[in-house]
Amino acid sequence: MASRVLLFALLALVLSQAIASDPSPLQDFCVADMNSPVFVNGLVCKNPNFTTPEDFFFKGLDQPGNTMNKLGFNANLVNATALPGLNTLGISLARLDFAPYGLNPPHTHPRATEVFTVVEGTFYVGFITSNPDNKLFSKVLNKGDVFVFPEGLIHFQFNIGKTSGFGISGLSSQNPGLITIANAVFKSNPPISDDILAKAFQLDKKIVDWIQTQL
């Protein structure tokens, strides 16, 4: 009986590592070598003998991003490319800035869960579950509130206040990825056929063409 328990425990440990979003480090750190021509799943490690404190340092997250755009939104992502010391650590973060009524539109991170913390402002946020339920989980957040968006699910953040706001998001991958739904569908390269989009969204082709010019 004890041997079976041990076997199941070992199996659970192996499987938990196998399904992790990012591989676990096999040494203290693996600072990304941005100059390496080698292509791997992730980034090549820099020789630790040439590693400096600057490899673990990023400056500027206190500065607001430019929100003078159609959405009134800006994201400053600190991933392993911006902060090489994050390589293989399975985390990244971002500063999200919003103009009044600014929107981070429906999007998904295919490789990461996101934890959003409000620093300033009032936000309406939410995520949608997968088919067939497509259930919306939403909440109004104020300063100091935290909300989590599960990995891979479509989610959004909307500043419902009359003043600018911002938050900090932690992500469970050094390279979380980003798919903005509207851009992916209506601005793909090469474009998806109008016939497909019109039928999928039950729209007239002229409306599809108009949407494509707005993105």
Side-chain angles (χ1 to χ4, degrees):
M1 183 64 181
S3 61
R4 288 185 179 181
V5 172
L6 179 60
L7 176 61
F8 283 125
L10 290 173
L11 182 60
L13 177 62
V14 170
L15 288 176
S16 68
Q17 296 300 314
I19 63 175
S21 295
D22 289 354
S24 298
L26 300 177
Q27 56 277 325
D28 288 344
F29 53 79
C30 171
V31 171
D33 183 353
M34 308 308 299
N35 298 314
S36 174
V38 179
F39 183 81
V40 297
N41 182 26
L43 296 168
V44 174
C45 296
K46 181 180 181 179
N47 187 329
N49 293 328
F50 302 139
T51 299
T52 70
E54 298 302 311
D55 292 318
F56 304 92
F57 175 76
F58 180 90
K59 185 176 182 178
L61 214 58
D62 61 317
Q63 299 299 315
N66 182 7
T67 58
M68 298 294 290
N69 52 59
K70 289 182 178 180
L71 294 172
F73 169 73
N74 183 277
N76 186 2
L77 176 64
V78 183
N79 57 12
T81 302
L83 180 55
L86 287 177
N87 191 37
T88 75
L89 298 184
I91 57 171
S92 56
L93 75 158
R95 171 173 173 147
L96 307 183
D97 284 283
F98 299 79
Y101 306 110
L103 172 68
N104 187 6
H107 64 281
T108 178
H109 303 293
R111 294 179 291 276
T113 293
E114 177 181 353
V115 180
F116 176 65
T117 303
V118 178
V119 181
E120 291 289 346
T122 301
F123 295 87
Y124 174 63
V125 306
F127 66 86
I128 302 107
T129 62
S130 54
N131 297 350
D133 294 337
N134 299 130
K135 184 175 181 180
L136 172 65
F137 288 84
S138 62
K139 189 80 175 174
V140 172
L141 305 182
N142 295 294
K143 183 176 180 179
D145 291 343
V146 179
F147 198 84
V148 62
F149 306 105
E151 180 175 340
L153 296 187
I154 296 172
H155 59 282
F156 60 87
Q157 294 119 333
F158 180 47
N159 179 11
I160 58 176
K162 296 180 180 180
T163 60
S164 298
F166 78 97
I168 299 293
S169 282
L171 299 128
S172 64
S173 172
Q174 72 177 49
N175 184 23
L178 173 66
I179 302 172
T180 303
I181 307 305
N183 292 354
V185 173
F186 290 100
K187 293 292 285 185
S188 66
N189 184 23
I192 300 173
S193 165
D194 283 3
D195 291 325
I196 293 174
L197 294 177
K199 188 166 187 176
F201 291 94
Q202 296 295 291
L203 298 173
D204 185 274
K205 288 184 182 180
K206 292 182 180 179
I207 296 178
V208 171
D209 293 337
W210 179 82
I211 293 174
Q212 290 174 324
T213 64
Q214 301 304 304
L215 298 174

